[in-house]
Amino acid sequence: MPPAGGAAVMGTGIVSVGLSLDGDAPLSWALLAVDAALWLGLCAVFARRALRQRRRWLEDARSPAALTAVAGTAVLGARIALTGVGWAAYLLLALAAALWAWLLRPVLGGWRTPTVGVSFVLTVATESLAVLAALLSLERGVAWLDVASLVPLGLGLAAYVFVLLRFDLRQLLVGRGDQWVAGGALAIATLACARVAAAAATGPLRGARGVLEDASLALWAAAAAWLPALLAAELVRPRPGYDTRRWSTVFPFGMYAVCSFAVGDVTGIGGLTDFARVWIWVAFAVWAVVFAAMLRRGLAVARG
C-alpha cells in the first residue's frame, strides 16, 4: 500500500458526492459504503505500519502523496455531511485538519523539484478542508466556519501557484495517472470557492458573495483549460494497466462534475449544471474501470 492509497478514498468519495447531487441516491449510497470501507481499511493498514514499520511510515510521511489521507478524510466527511449526519462530518473535519497540520512539515521538508502530478495534492488536501468547512457552514448554519474556510482556500491557491511554477509538463505524457491532479487541484479550489459563496448568502461574508461567485467562475474556467491537454495526452500516450496512481485520475474526473454543479448553482449558469449531469457519468465510468482493475490486481496478489 503506497502513500497515495488515500486517492482511492478521494476518487470514490467525490464520485459519490456527484451522483448524490445528480439525484441518483441508490448508486451514491453504494459508493459511500465502498468509500467508508476503503477509508477504514486504509486506517487499519497505516496504523499497523505506524506500529510495526515506523521507519517506513515516517519516510512515507515525507511524500506529498501522504496528504491523500487528509483529502480522502475530508471528502468522505463532505459526503457524510450531505446525509445530515453532522457529528460524523465534524469529527472527520477535525481529524483531517489534524492530519494536515501534522503532515505539512515533513512533506515540505522532503519537497523535491521539479514537481510532478502528485505534488498538487498539497493544494487538494488544503482545499478539501475549505470545502468541508464551508459545506458544514451551509448545511448546519455555522457562520464562523464559512469565514474560517477562507484560510485554507487562500493557502490552497498559493500552494497551487508554488507547485505549478515548478511542474514538469512532460508529466502529461509520462505520468501514470497523477498528472490529472494538475487540473483536479484547481477544480477542488473552484468547489471550495463556490461553497464559500453559497454559505455567504446568509452569513458574515454576504458583502463578498459577488466577488466569490466571480472568483469561482474564473477558477472553473482555469480548471477546465487543463482538460483538452490532459485528454489529448491520454490519446497520444495511452497508459493501460492498473497503477494506484490511476485513482488520482478518478478524483479529478469526479471533481470536474461536482465543481460544475456547485458553480452552476451559485452563478445560475444552467450550462454548467448540464455539463455536470453528463460528466458525472463519465466520472463514474472511469471509477468503475479503475475499481475493477484494483479488484483484479488484489485477487492476483492473493492467489500469489
Side-chain angles (χ1 to χ4, degrees), residues 79-94:
R79 178 62 187 90
I80 289 175
L82 294 177
T83 69
V85 185
W87 66 268
Y90 281 118
L91 182 62
L92 289 171
L93 174 59

Side-chain angles (χ1 to χ4, degrees), residues 1-167:
M1 180 61 63
V9 180
M10 293 162 52
T12 305
I14 203 61
V15 174
S16 176
V17 170
L19 291 168
S20 176
L21 295 175
D22 193 43
D24 197 312
L27 193 53
S28 177
W29 276 98
L31 262 68
L32 173 57
V34 172
D35 200 42
L38 287 171
W39 185 81
L40 290 170
L42 286 169
C43 286
V45 169
F46 292 141
R48 183 175 183 273
R49 187 171 296 168
L51 293 173
R52 300 191 179 185
Q53 297 174 287
R54 190 163 182 80
R55 181 178 296 179
R56 179 184 175 186
W57 184 69
L58 291 173
E59 183 62 30
D60 286 347
R62 293 170 57 84
S63 167
L67 290 167
T68 60
V70 176
T73 300
V75 170
L76 177 60
R79 178 62 187 90
I80 289 175
L82 294 177
T83 69
V85 185
W87 66 268
Y90 281 118
L91 182 62
L92 289 171
L93 174 59
L95 178 57
L99 282 171
W100 179 85
W102 181 78
L103 286 169
L104 195 60
R105 183 176 178 180
V107 167
L108 293 179
W111 197 261
R112 296 179 181 179
T113 55
T115 55
V116 296
V118 74
S119 305
F120 285 102
V121 178
L122 177 62
T123 288
V124 174
T126 308
E127 294 291 355
S128 70
L129 300 177
V131 169
L132 182 49
L135 182 59
L136 283 170
S137 175
L138 182 63
E139 296 288 327
R140 316 296 294 187
V142 184
W144 69 268
L145 276 176
D146 195 31
V147 177
S149 65
L150 290 175
V151 176
L153 172 60
L155 288 175
L157 289 172
Y160 187 84
V161 174
F162 171 78
V163 176
L164 181 64
L165 291 175
R166 296 160 178 78
F167 183 55

